[in-house]
Amino acid sequence: MSFEERMEKLKTPCLSNIKNVTIEKWIAYGILILMFFIPVFTSLYNQLVFGKFISYMIFALALDILWGYAGLMNLGFALFFGLGGYVLGISLSCQAGLPAFMSFGGLTQIPALYKPLQNIPFAVLMGLLIPAAVAFVLGLFIFYSKIKGVFYNLITLALVALFELLLATKQVYTGGSSGISGISFGLEKITFFGKPLGITAWYYIGFAALVIVYVLCRLLTRARFGSVIKSVRDNEARLQFLGYNPAVFKIAIFTISAFFAGFAGMLYLPMTSFISIEAAGVSFSTSVLVWLAIGGRGNLTGAMVGALLVSFLQSTLSETFGNLWQLVLGVVLIAIVYFLPKGIIGTLQDWQYNRRIAKTLEA
């Protein structure tokens, strides 16, 4: 077959299925099925571990719709995860009265600002709205000021560093470097038909949340709004020429992603009964970027794969290699990034795409 004949064949309707790359969908379904059956064949301890991984997967999905689809890298995304987690964590710690970290700091009663948070449903609502509101205000300032590139990245990094510093210095109100304790007692206040929720119940609540967030993110990215935010990433100038205001869509996706990140931060608490600076600082913000690089950004399945794989490797290698686990993990991650520059799922998609083209040309 000549080159011209091959090119003509690529223009025919028979190639329409080539663009329908489905391998990432099947991997996503496989992951969700696997996560569903985790409580069936693992211990309660492993349910806690994988329940924490679920909150990480939701967090990765939140960043992926912002960075992968809209092209807005955020070096301080843990700010929103921490806001959601700390708001609910303070609420749960206050259920037994004055938390220990406040009494040790010299307080004799719960601060007036925290008293509304003693109502757990209100705290859950605030854990969703506060990260979204902070992102909205930041978005107004950043995107209407047309701050881009390295300056945008520096602002996001500075914000999470300031938040980390605030948590560390205001120990009386945040628990400082020791974090917030007493969360487990507050969790016992959340009941179902008068009985506190167990570990398995909390795990399946987290799993249901993961499925819902995954479906919402897929619908969002497949809708017209998703096409516009991809255009923001690919060619913002052309989008403006067509009459769209990119700042509006940037603010919207920034707010939505922060909303999901705050939700992930709250789901982190039932699996750990604890939250500290490590879950809201610069280091954790860097970790989620690594997850997307490993799994493949601009790909919801890649976000989940990256979060699950790296978190699982961290847990496993730390038990196997002791103090050397970080070195071993670093070598593994460098190898993945070097040999799979588009991430695991992105590389598999390319493989499937090329394979379908080859089959079409051979037919």
Side-chain angles (χ1 to χ4, degrees), residues 201-259:
W202 278 117
Y203 177 89
Y204 278 115
I205 289 173
F207 173 78
L210 173 63
V211 173
I212 291 171
V213 172
Y214 173 74
V215 171
L216 289 176
C217 288
R218 182 165 288 278
L219 292 174
L220 182 71
T221 55
R222 293 298 179 90
R224 184 178 178 182
F225 177 82
S227 300
V228 175
I229 62 172
K230 290 174 190 175
S231 300
V232 170
R233 176 194 65 192
D234 297 333
N235 197 326
E236 186 175 334
R238 180 173 293 181
L239 191 66
Q240 287 179 301
F241 179 77
L242 294 174
Y244 291 91
N245 185 352
V248 173
F249 292 93
K250 288 180 180 181
I251 294 169
I253 196 63
F254 197 48
T255 304
I256 293 169
S257 64
F259 179 91

Side-chain angles (χ1 to χ4, degrees), residues 58-79:
I58 295 174
F59 185 43
L61 287 171
L63 181 59
D64 195 38
I65 61 174
L66 179 67
W67 181 28
Y69 286 87
L72 300 172
M73 177 189 283
N74 192 316
L75 297 180
F77 201 59
L79 166 67

Side-chain angles (χ1 to χ4, degrees), residues 163-226:
F163 183 62
E164 190 174 5
L165 182 63
L166 176 67
L167 294 177
T169 54
K170 298 297 182 180
Q171 185 171 352
V172 178
Y173 302 99
T174 65
S177 58
S178 300
I180 295 178
S181 56
I183 291 176
S184 57
F185 182 84
L187 289 171
E188 294 178 0
K189 295 288 186 178
I190 304 175
T191 60
F192 185 71
F193 289 107
K195 294 183 179 180
L197 298 176
I199 293 173
T200 303
W202 278 117
Y203 177 89
Y204 278 115
I205 289 173
F207 173 78
L210 173 63
V211 173
I212 291 171
V213 172
Y214 173 74
V215 171
L216 289 176
C217 288
R218 182 165 288 278
L219 292 174
L220 182 71
T221 55
R222 293 298 179 90
R224 184 178 178 182
F225 177 82

